[in-house]
Protein backbone atom coordinates (compact mmCIF):
# COMPACT_ATOMS: atom_id res chain seq x y z
CA UNK A 1 0.00 0.00 0.00
CA UNK A 2 1.75 3.10 -1.25
CA UNK A 3 1.31 5.93 1.18
CA UNK A 4 3.31 8.39 -0.91
CA UNK A 5 2.87 8.30 -4.67
CA UNK A 6 4.80 9.96 -7.42
CA UNK A 7 2.78 8.88 -10.42
CA UNK A 8 5.14 10.13 -13.11
CA UNK A 9 8.27 7.98 -13.32
CA UNK A 10 9.84 10.49 -15.69
CA UNK A 11 9.33 13.98 -17.04
CA UNK A 12 11.04 15.91 -19.84
CA UNK A 13 11.08 19.71 -19.83
CA UNK A 14 12.71 22.26 -22.10
CA UNK A 15 15.49 24.30 -20.56
CA UNK A 16 14.14 27.64 -19.31
CA UNK A 17 10.57 26.37 -18.90
CA UNK A 18 8.78 25.38 -15.70
CA UNK A 19 9.15 21.85 -14.29
CA UNK A 20 6.27 20.61 -12.14
CA UNK A 21 6.70 17.45 -10.14
CA UNK A 22 3.73 15.98 -8.30
CA UNK A 23 3.27 13.90 -5.20
CA UNK A 24 0.17 12.47 -3.52
CA UNK A 25 -0.16 11.00 -0.04
CA UNK A 26 -2.86 9.04 1.68
CA UNK A 27 -2.15 9.26 5.41
CA UNK A 28 -3.66 12.34 7.06
CA UNK A 29 -1.15 11.97 9.92
CA UNK A 30 1.59 13.30 7.63
CA UNK A 31 2.23 16.94 8.43
CA UNK A 32 5.72 17.68 7.14
CA UNK A 33 6.85 17.20 3.58
CA UNK A 34 10.24 17.31 1.95
CA UNK A 35 11.73 17.15 -1.55
CA UNK A 36 15.12 15.62 -2.27
CA UNK A 37 17.16 15.55 -5.44
CA UNK A 38 19.43 12.66 -6.38
CA UNK A 39 22.17 12.44 -8.98
CA UNK A 40 23.51 9.03 -10.06
CA UNK A 41 26.12 7.56 -7.71
CA UNK A 42 25.38 10.17 -5.04
CA UNK A 43 23.13 10.28 -2.00
CA UNK A 44 19.97 12.40 -2.10
CA UNK A 45 20.32 16.06 -1.16
CA UNK A 46 17.63 18.08 0.53
CA UNK A 47 15.90 20.71 -1.61
CA UNK A 48 12.95 22.22 0.19
CA UNK A 49 10.33 21.38 2.79
CA UNK A 50 6.89 22.50 3.87
CA UNK A 51 4.91 22.15 7.05
CA UNK A 52 1.19 21.45 6.93
CA UNK A 53 0.47 24.84 8.47
CA UNK A 54 1.57 26.44 5.20
CA UNK A 55 0.41 26.03 1.64
CA UNK A 56 3.49 27.39 -0.10
CA UNK A 57 7.20 27.63 0.51
CA UNK A 58 9.69 29.22 -1.83
CA UNK A 59 13.46 29.04 -2.06
CA UNK A 60 15.02 30.62 -5.11
CA UNK A 61 13.93 28.74 -8.22
CA UNK A 62 12.13 26.11 -6.15
CA UNK A 63 8.60 26.41 -4.81
CA UNK A 64 6.61 23.71 -3.05
CA UNK A 65 2.81 23.90 -2.92
CA UNK A 66 0.71 21.91 -0.50
CA UNK A 67 -3.00 21.18 -0.91
CA UNK A 68 -4.00 19.45 2.31
CA UNK A 69 -7.58 18.78 1.34
CA UNK A 70 -6.43 16.98 -1.79
CA UNK A 71 -3.43 15.41 0.00
CA UNK A 72 -1.28 16.66 -2.85
CA UNK A 73 1.98 18.54 -3.10
CA UNK A 74 3.95 19.77 -6.04
CA UNK A 75 7.44 21.09 -6.66
CA UNK A 76 7.87 23.86 -9.20
CA UNK A 77 11.27 24.65 -10.68
CA UNK A 78 11.46 27.92 -12.61
CA UNK A 79 13.38 28.32 -14.82
CA UNK A 80 14.58 24.77 -15.37
CA UNK A 81 18.33 24.38 -15.90
CA UNK A 82 20.43 21.50 -17.23
CA UNK A 83 21.78 20.80 -13.73
CA UNK A 84 18.23 20.09 -12.59
CA UNK A 85 18.29 16.78 -14.47
CA UNK A 86 18.11 14.25 -11.64
CA UNK A 87 15.69 12.00 -9.77
CA UNK A 88 13.39 13.84 -7.37
CA UNK A 89 11.91 12.17 -4.32
CA UNK A 90 9.12 13.54 -2.20
CA UNK A 91 8.88 12.41 1.41
CA UNK A 92 6.09 12.71 3.96
CA UNK A 93 6.65 12.72 7.70
CA UNK A 94 4.37 12.34 10.67
CA UNK A 95 3.64 10.17 13.66
CA UNK A 96 7.36 9.28 13.84
CA UNK A 97 7.26 7.89 10.33
CA UNK A 98 8.86 9.06 7.12
CA UNK A 99 7.82 7.62 3.79
CA UNK A 100 9.47 8.38 0.46
CA UNK A 101 7.88 8.22 -2.96
CA UNK A 102 9.41 6.14 -5.74
CA UNK A 103 10.89 9.19 -7.43
CA UNK A 104 10.46 11.08 -10.70
CA UNK A 105 13.34 11.31 -13.17
CA UNK A 106 13.49 14.82 -14.59
CA UNK A 107 15.23 15.40 -17.94
CA UNK A 108 15.97 18.98 -18.91
CA UNK A 109 16.20 19.23 -22.68
CA UNK A 110 18.51 21.77 -24.35
CA UNK B 1 29.68 21.27 5.69
CA UNK B 2 27.92 18.16 6.91
CA UNK B 3 29.65 15.02 5.93
CA UNK B 4 28.18 11.55 6.07
CA UNK B 5 30.58 8.83 5.02
CA UNK B 6 29.94 5.18 4.35
CA UNK B 7 32.65 2.58 4.68
CA UNK B 8 32.42 1.17 1.16
CA UNK B 9 31.00 2.33 -2.17
CA UNK B 10 30.77 -1.21 -3.53
CA UNK B 11 30.62 -4.52 -1.70
CA UNK B 12 30.21 -8.09 -2.94
CA UNK B 13 29.31 -10.81 -0.46
CA UNK B 14 28.13 -14.41 -0.58
CA UNK B 15 24.82 -15.77 0.63
CA UNK B 16 24.95 -16.53 4.34
CA UNK B 17 27.80 -14.16 5.15
CA UNK B 18 27.50 -11.63 7.95
CA UNK B 19 27.79 -8.14 6.51
CA UNK B 20 28.57 -4.88 8.29
CA UNK B 21 27.85 -1.52 6.70
CA UNK B 22 29.32 1.40 8.57
CA UNK B 23 28.23 5.03 8.56
CA UNK B 24 29.91 8.00 10.23
CA UNK B 25 28.68 11.59 10.45
CA UNK B 26 30.67 14.57 11.63
CA UNK B 27 27.97 17.08 12.56
CA UNK B 28 26.97 15.82 15.99
CA UNK B 29 23.52 14.82 14.71
CA UNK B 30 21.29 12.99 17.14
CA UNK B 31 19.40 11.06 14.50
CA UNK B 32 20.77 8.50 12.08
CA UNK B 33 18.96 6.42 9.49
CA UNK B 34 19.50 3.45 7.20
CA UNK B 35 17.57 3.14 3.92
CA UNK B 36 17.70 0.87 0.95
CA UNK B 37 16.97 2.07 -2.55
CA UNK B 38 15.70 -0.30 -5.20
CA UNK B 39 14.58 0.44 -8.76
CA UNK B 40 10.87 1.22 -8.87
CA UNK B 41 10.60 1.21 -5.07
CA UNK B 42 12.26 4.44 -4.03
CA UNK B 43 13.86 4.77 -0.59
CA UNK B 44 12.62 2.52 2.16
CA UNK B 45 13.53 3.04 5.79
CA UNK B 46 15.13 0.03 7.48
CA UNK B 47 16.03 1.37 10.93
CA UNK B 48 16.69 4.67 12.59
CA UNK B 49 18.26 5.82 15.83
CA UNK B 50 17.56 9.01 17.77
CA UNK B 51 20.27 8.56 20.37
CA UNK B 52 23.20 6.36 21.32
CA UNK B 53 22.10 2.77 21.95
CA UNK B 54 18.55 3.64 20.85
CA UNK B 55 16.99 2.17 17.73
CA UNK B 56 13.61 2.07 16.10
CA UNK B 57 12.34 -0.17 13.31
CA UNK B 58 11.49 1.40 10.02
CA UNK B 59 9.30 -0.10 7.34
CA UNK B 60 11.47 -3.06 6.36
CA UNK B 61 13.60 -4.19 9.34
CA UNK B 62 13.37 -7.92 8.64
CA UNK B 63 16.77 -9.48 8.04
CA UNK B 64 18.64 -6.48 9.43
CA UNK B 65 19.89 -5.24 12.76
CA UNK B 66 21.69 -2.05 13.77
CA UNK B 67 24.15 -0.82 16.33
CA UNK B 68 24.82 2.65 17.64
CA UNK B 69 27.50 2.63 20.32
CA UNK B 70 28.77 6.14 19.57
CA UNK B 71 26.84 9.22 18.51
CA UNK B 72 28.69 9.63 15.23
CA UNK B 73 28.52 6.00 14.08
CA UNK B 74 25.59 3.86 12.99
CA UNK B 75 26.11 0.33 11.71
CA UNK B 76 23.77 -1.82 9.67
CA UNK B 77 24.21 -5.55 10.07
CA UNK B 78 22.98 -8.30 7.79
CA UNK B 79 23.23 -11.36 10.00
CA UNK B 80 23.01 -13.82 7.10
CA UNK B 81 23.03 -12.10 3.74
CA UNK B 82 20.55 -13.22 1.11
CA UNK B 83 20.28 -12.41 -2.59
CA UNK B 84 17.16 -10.31 -2.02
CA UNK B 85 19.29 -7.95 0.05
CA UNK B 86 21.23 -6.92 -3.04
CA UNK B 87 20.55 -3.20 -3.11
CA UNK B 88 21.88 0.33 -2.69
CA UNK B 89 22.13 1.18 1.01
CA UNK B 90 21.98 4.80 2.08
CA UNK B 91 22.81 6.23 5.48
CA UNK B 92 21.54 9.62 6.63
CA UNK B 93 21.70 11.83 9.69
CA UNK B 94 19.80 14.82 11.02
CA UNK B 95 19.13 17.04 13.98
CA UNK B 96 15.76 16.56 15.67
CA UNK B 97 12.92 18.71 14.36
CA UNK B 98 11.29 21.44 16.42
CA UNK B 99 8.97 18.92 18.05
CA UNK B 100 11.87 16.63 18.92
CA UNK B 101 10.72 13.96 16.51
CA UNK B 102 13.48 12.43 14.37
CA UNK B 103 11.51 12.74 11.15
CA UNK B 104 10.77 16.46 11.11
CA UNK B 105 13.97 17.76 9.66
CA UNK B 106 16.12 17.57 6.58
CA UNK B 107 18.40 14.58 6.42
CA UNK B 108 21.94 14.53 5.10
CA UNK B 109 22.77 11.45 3.11
CA UNK B 110 25.96 9.57 2.49
CA UNK B 111 26.98 8.49 -1.03
CA UNK B 112 25.59 4.98 -0.62
CA UNK B 113 26.96 1.45 -0.63
CA UNK B 114 26.01 -0.79 -3.50
CA UNK B 115 25.82 -4.28 -2.02
CA UNK B 116 25.68 -7.35 -4.22
CA UNK B 117 24.93 -10.70 -2.58
CA UNK B 118 25.84 -13.70 -4.74
Amino acid sequence: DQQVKQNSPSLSVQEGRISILNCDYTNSMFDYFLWYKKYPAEGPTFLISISSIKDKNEDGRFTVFLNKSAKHLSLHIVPSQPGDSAVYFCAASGDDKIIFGKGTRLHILP
Amino acid sequence: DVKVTQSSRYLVKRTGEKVFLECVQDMDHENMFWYRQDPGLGLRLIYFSYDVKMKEKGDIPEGYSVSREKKERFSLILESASTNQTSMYLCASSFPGASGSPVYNEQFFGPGTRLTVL
Side-chain angles (χ1 to χ4, degrees), chain B residues 1-6 22-33 49 52 68 70-74 91-95 108-110:
Chain B
D1 248 12
V2 177
K3 197 151 186 193
V4 179
T5 56
Q6 297 183 228
E22 305 285 341
C23 175
V24 177
Q25 51 94 3
D26 65 359
M27 278 302 291
D28 205 32
H29 285 166
E30 282 80 1
N31 304 316
M32 296 190 75
F33 306 80
S49 167
V52 174
R68 192 161 180 208
K70 293 185 177 181
K71 190 175 186 180
E72 68 271 18
R73 189 179 295 269
F74 192 35
C91 175
S93 67
S94 74
F95 286 119
F108 295 85
F109 283 82

Short mmCIF file of all heavy atoms in Angstrom, two decimals, chain B residues 1-6 22-33 49 52 68 70-74 91-95 108-110:
data_model
loop_
_atom_site.label_atom_id
_atom_site.label_comp_id
_atom_site.label_asym_id
_atom_site.label_seq_id
_atom_site.Cartn_x
_atom_site.Cartn_y
_atom_site.Cartn_z
N ASP B 1 30.38 22.19 6.59
CA ASP B 1 29.68 21.27 5.69
C ASP B 1 29.46 19.91 6.36
O ASP B 1 30.39 19.33 6.86
CB ASP B 1 30.54 21.05 4.44
CG ASP B 1 29.90 21.67 3.22
OD1 ASP B 1 28.94 22.43 3.40
OD2 ASP B 1 30.36 21.38 2.12
N VAL B 2 28.22 19.47 6.33
CA VAL B 2 27.92 18.16 6.91
C VAL B 2 28.53 17.08 6.05
O VAL B 2 28.46 17.13 4.83
CB VAL B 2 26.40 17.93 6.97
CG1 VAL B 2 26.09 16.54 7.49
CG2 VAL B 2 25.75 18.99 7.82
N LYS B 3 29.14 16.12 6.71
CA LYS B 3 29.65 15.02 5.93
C LYS B 3 29.16 13.71 6.54
O LYS B 3 29.30 13.46 7.74
CB LYS B 3 31.17 15.03 5.93
CG LYS B 3 31.77 14.19 4.84
CD LYS B 3 33.11 14.71 4.40
CE LYS B 3 33.58 13.91 3.19
NZ LYS B 3 34.98 14.15 2.91
N VAL B 4 28.59 12.89 5.68
CA VAL B 4 28.18 11.55 6.07
C VAL B 4 28.97 10.60 5.18
O VAL B 4 28.88 10.67 3.95
CB VAL B 4 26.67 11.33 5.87
CG1 VAL B 4 26.28 9.90 6.25
CG2 VAL B 4 25.87 12.34 6.69
N THR B 5 29.76 9.75 5.80
CA THR B 5 30.58 8.83 5.02
C THR B 5 30.15 7.40 5.29
O THR B 5 29.71 7.06 6.39
CB THR B 5 32.08 8.99 5.35
OG1 THR B 5 32.25 8.82 6.76
CG2 THR B 5 32.58 10.37 4.97
N GLN B 6 30.26 6.60 4.26
CA GLN B 6 29.94 5.18 4.35
C GLN B 6 31.19 4.39 4.01
O GLN B 6 31.96 4.78 3.13
CB GLN B 6 28.77 4.83 3.42
CG GLN B 6 27.50 5.55 3.83
CD GLN B 6 26.29 5.18 2.99
OE1 GLN B 6 25.56 6.03 2.53
NE2 GLN B 6 26.05 3.90 2.81
N GLU B 22 29.02 0.38 7.57
CA GLU B 22 29.32 1.40 8.57
C GLU B 22 29.01 2.79 8.04
O GLU B 22 29.24 3.08 6.86
CB GLU B 22 30.79 1.35 8.96
CG GLU B 22 31.29 -0.01 9.45
CD GLU B 22 30.82 -0.32 10.85
OE1 GLU B 22 30.42 0.61 11.58
OE2 GLU B 22 30.83 -1.50 11.22
N CYS B 23 28.54 3.65 8.93
CA CYS B 23 28.23 5.03 8.56
C CYS B 23 28.74 5.95 9.67
O CYS B 23 28.51 5.67 10.85
CB CYS B 23 26.72 5.17 8.41
SG CYS B 23 26.16 6.85 8.09
N VAL B 24 29.39 7.03 9.26
CA VAL B 24 29.91 8.00 10.23
C VAL B 24 29.50 9.40 9.79
O VAL B 24 29.62 9.74 8.61
CB VAL B 24 31.45 7.92 10.32
CG1 VAL B 24 31.98 8.98 11.27
CG2 VAL B 24 31.89 6.53 10.77
N GLN B 25 29.01 10.19 10.75
CA GLN B 25 28.68 11.59 10.45
C GLN B 25 29.47 12.49 11.39
O GLN B 25 29.77 12.13 12.52
CB GLN B 25 27.15 11.83 10.56
CG GLN B 25 26.51 11.35 11.85
CD GLN B 25 26.38 12.37 12.95
OE1 GLN B 25 26.73 13.54 12.77
NE2 GLN B 25 25.88 11.95 14.10
N ASP B 26 29.77 13.69 10.88
CA ASP B 26 30.67 14.57 11.63
C ASP B 26 29.99 15.84 12.13
O ASP B 26 30.67 16.81 12.47
CB ASP B 26 31.90 14.91 10.78
CG ASP B 26 31.55 15.73 9.54
OD1 ASP B 26 30.35 16.03 9.33
OD2 ASP B 26 32.48 16.05 8.78
N MET B 27 28.66 15.85 12.16
CA MET B 27 27.97 17.08 12.56
C MET B 27 27.24 16.96 13.89
O MET B 27 26.37 17.76 14.19
CB MET B 27 26.98 17.50 11.46
CG MET B 27 27.65 18.24 10.33
SD MET B 27 28.51 19.74 10.87
CE MET B 27 27.13 20.78 11.34
N ASP B 28 27.57 15.95 14.67
CA ASP B 28 26.97 15.82 15.99
C ASP B 28 25.44 15.66 15.93
O ASP B 28 24.71 16.11 16.83
CB ASP B 28 27.34 17.04 16.86
CG ASP B 28 27.29 16.72 18.35
OD1 ASP B 28 27.58 15.57 18.72
OD2 ASP B 28 26.93 17.62 19.14
N HIS B 29 24.97 15.05 14.86
CA HIS B 29 23.52 14.82 14.71
C HIS B 29 23.04 13.75 15.67
O HIS B 29 23.69 12.72 15.84
CB HIS B 29 23.20 14.39 13.28
CG HIS B 29 23.26 15.51 12.30
ND1 HIS B 29 23.28 15.29 10.94
CD2 HIS B 29 23.25 16.86 12.45
CE1 HIS B 29 23.29 16.46 10.31
NE2 HIS B 29 23.28 17.42 11.21
N GLU B 30 21.86 14.00 16.26
CA GLU B 30 21.29 12.99 17.14
C GLU B 30 20.73 11.80 16.37
O GLU B 30 20.79 10.67 16.83
CB GLU B 30 20.14 13.60 17.97
CG GLU B 30 20.58 14.45 19.15
CD GLU B 30 21.01 15.85 18.76
OE1 GLU B 30 20.96 16.20 17.56
OE2 GLU B 30 21.39 16.62 19.66
N ASN B 31 20.13 12.10 15.22
CA ASN B 31 19.40 11.06 14.50
C ASN B 31 20.25 10.47 13.38
O ASN B 31 20.94 11.18 12.66
CB ASN B 31 18.14 11.64 13.85
CG ASN B 31 17.24 12.32 14.85
OD1 ASN B 31 17.02 11.81 15.93
ND2 ASN B 31 16.74 13.47 14.48
N MET B 32 20.14 9.17 13.21
CA MET B 32 20.77 8.50 12.08
C MET B 32 19.81 7.46 11.52
O MET B 32 18.98 6.90 12.25
CB MET B 32 22.11 7.87 12.48
CG MET B 32 23.14 8.92 12.92
SD MET B 32 24.80 8.29 13.14
CE MET B 32 25.36 8.08 11.44
N PHE B 33 19.93 7.24 10.22
CA PHE B 33 18.96 6.42 9.49
C PHE B 33 19.68 5.48 8.51
O PHE B 33 20.71 5.84 7.96
CB PHE B 33 18.03 7.31 8.64
CG PHE B 33 17.35 8.41 9.40
CD1 PHE B 33 18.01 9.59 9.70
CD2 PHE B 33 16.03 8.26 9.81
CE1 PHE B 33 17.38 10.62 10.39
CE2 PHE B 33 15.38 9.28 10.49
CZ PHE B 33 16.05 10.46 10.79
N SER B 49 17.83 5.68 14.44
CA SER B 49 18.26 5.82 15.83
C SER B 49 18.21 7.29 16.19
O SER B 49 18.68 8.14 15.44
CB SER B 49 19.70 5.29 15.97
OG SER B 49 20.25 5.67 17.21
N VAL B 52 22.29 7.49 21.14
CA VAL B 52 23.20 6.36 21.32
C VAL B 52 22.46 5.21 21.99
O VAL B 52 21.68 5.41 22.91
CB VAL B 52 24.41 6.80 22.18
CG1 VAL B 52 25.30 5.60 22.50
CG2 VAL B 52 25.20 7.88 21.47
N ARG B 68 24.34 1.27 17.50
CA ARG B 68 24.82 2.65 17.64
C ARG B 68 25.46 2.78 19.02
O ARG B 68 24.80 3.09 20.01
CB ARG B 68 23.68 3.65 17.47
CG ARG B 68 24.23 5.07 17.32
CD ARG B 68 23.26 5.98 16.72
NE ARG B 68 23.79 7.32 16.57
CZ ARG B 68 23.02 8.41 16.58
NH1 ARG B 68 21.72 8.29 16.73
NH2 ARG B 68 23.57 9.60 16.43
N LYS B 70 28.29 4.77 19.48
CA LYS B 70 28.77 6.14 19.57
C LYS B 70 27.86 7.04 18.75
O LYS B 70 27.27 6.60 17.77
CB LYS B 70 30.21 6.25 19.04
CG LYS B 70 31.23 5.52 19.88
CD LYS B 70 32.63 5.78 19.37
CE LYS B 70 33.65 5.09 20.27
NZ LYS B 70 35.03 5.35 19.81
N LYS B 71 27.78 8.29 19.15
CA LYS B 71 26.84 9.22 18.51
C LYS B 71 27.11 9.36 17.02
O LYS B 71 26.19 9.49 16.21
CB LYS B 71 26.93 10.59 19.19
CG LYS B 71 25.84 11.56 18.77
CD LYS B 71 25.93 12.84 19.57
CE LYS B 71 24.77 13.76 19.25
NZ LYS B 71 24.83 15.02 20.02
N GLU B 72 28.36 9.34 16.64
CA GLU B 72 28.69 9.63 15.23
C GLU B 72 28.62 8.40 14.32
O GLU B 72 28.75 8.53 13.12
CB GLU B 72 30.10 10.24 15.14
CG GLU B 72 31.24 9.29 15.51
CD GLU B 72 31.58 9.31 16.98
OE1 GLU B 72 30.74 9.78 17.79
OE2 GLU B 72 32.70 8.86 17.33
N ARG B 73 28.41 7.22 14.88
CA ARG B 73 28.52 6.00 14.08
C ARG B 73 27.27 5.14 14.19
O ARG B 73 26.77 4.88 15.28
CB ARG B 73 29.74 5.21 14.57
CG ARG B 73 30.14 4.04 13.72
CD ARG B 73 31.39 3.37 14.32
NE ARG B 73 32.53 4.25 14.27
CZ ARG B 73 33.41 4.30 13.28
NH1 ARG B 73 33.26 3.52 12.24
NH2 ARG B 73 34.43 5.14 13.34
N PHE B 74 26.81 4.69 13.03
CA PHE B 74 25.59 3.86 12.99
C PHE B 74 25.86 2.72 12.01
O PHE B 74 26.18 2.95 10.84
CB PHE B 74 24.42 4.71 12.51
CG PHE B 74 23.06 4.10 12.70
CD1 PHE B 74 22.75 3.29 13.78
CD2 PHE B 74 22.03 4.40 11.78
CE1 PHE B 74 21.47 2.77 13.94
CE2 PHE B 74 20.75 3.88 11.95
CZ PHE B 74 20.48 3.07 13.03
N CYS B 91 22.84 5.78 4.09
CA CYS B 91 22.81 6.23 5.48
C CYS B 91 22.52 7.72 5.48
O CYS B 91 22.89 8.44 4.54
CB CYS B 91 24.16 5.94 6.12
SG CYS B 91 24.34 6.58 7.79
N ALA B 92 21.84 8.20 6.51
CA ALA B 92 21.54 9.62 6.63
C ALA B 92 21.59 10.02 8.09
O ALA B 92 21.48 9.18 8.99
CB ALA B 92 20.17 9.94 6.04
N SER B 93 21.74 11.33 8.32
CA SER B 93 21.70 11.83 9.69
C SER B 93 20.98 13.17 9.71
O SER B 93 20.84 13.84 8.69
CB SER B 93 23.12 11.98 10.25
OG SER B 93 23.83 13.01 9.59
N SER B 94 20.51 13.56 10.90
CA SER B 94 19.80 14.82 11.02
C SER B 94 19.75 15.26 12.48
O SER B 94 19.93 14.45 13.40
CB SER B 94 18.36 14.70 10.49
OG SER B 94 17.55 13.97 11.39
N PHE B 95 19.49 16.55 12.66
CA PHE B 95 19.13 17.04 13.98
C PHE B 95 17.65 16.72 14.20
O PHE B 95 16.90 16.52 13.24
CB PHE B 95 19.33 18.55 14.07
CG PHE B 95 20.76 18.96 14.16
CD1 PHE B 95 21.32 19.77 13.18
CD2 PHE B 95 21.57 18.56 15.21
CE1 PHE B 95 22.65 20.16 13.25
CE2 PHE B 95 22.90 18.93 15.29
CZ PHE B 95 23.43 19.73 14.29
N PHE B 108 20.74 14.46 5.92
CA PHE B 108 21.94 14.53 5.10
C PHE B 108 22.37 13.11 4.80
O PHE B 108 22.57 12.32 5.73
CB PHE B 108 23.04 15.30 5.84
CG PHE B 108 22.70 16.73 6.09
CD1 PHE B 108 21.94 17.11 7.19
CD2 PHE B 108 23.12 17.71 5.21
CE1 PHE B 108 21.61 18.44 7.41
CE2 PHE B 108 22.80 19.04 5.44
CZ PHE B 108 22.04 19.41 6.53
N PHE B 109 22.51 12.81 3.53
CA PHE B 109 22.77 11.45 3.11
C PHE B 109 24.23 11.23 2.76
O PHE B 109 24.92 12.12 2.24
CB PHE B 109 21.92 11.10 1.88
CG PHE B 109 20.48 10.83 2.18
CD1 PHE B 109 19.57 11.86 2.34
CD2 PHE B 109 20.03 9.51 2.32
CE1 PHE B 109 18.23 11.60 2.62
CE2 PHE B 109 18.70 9.24 2.60
CZ PHE B 109 17.80 10.28 2.75
N GLY B 110 24.68 10.01 2.99
CA GLY B 110 25.96 9.57 2.49
C GLY B 110 25.85 9.18 1.02
O GLY B 110 24.76 9.19 0.46
#
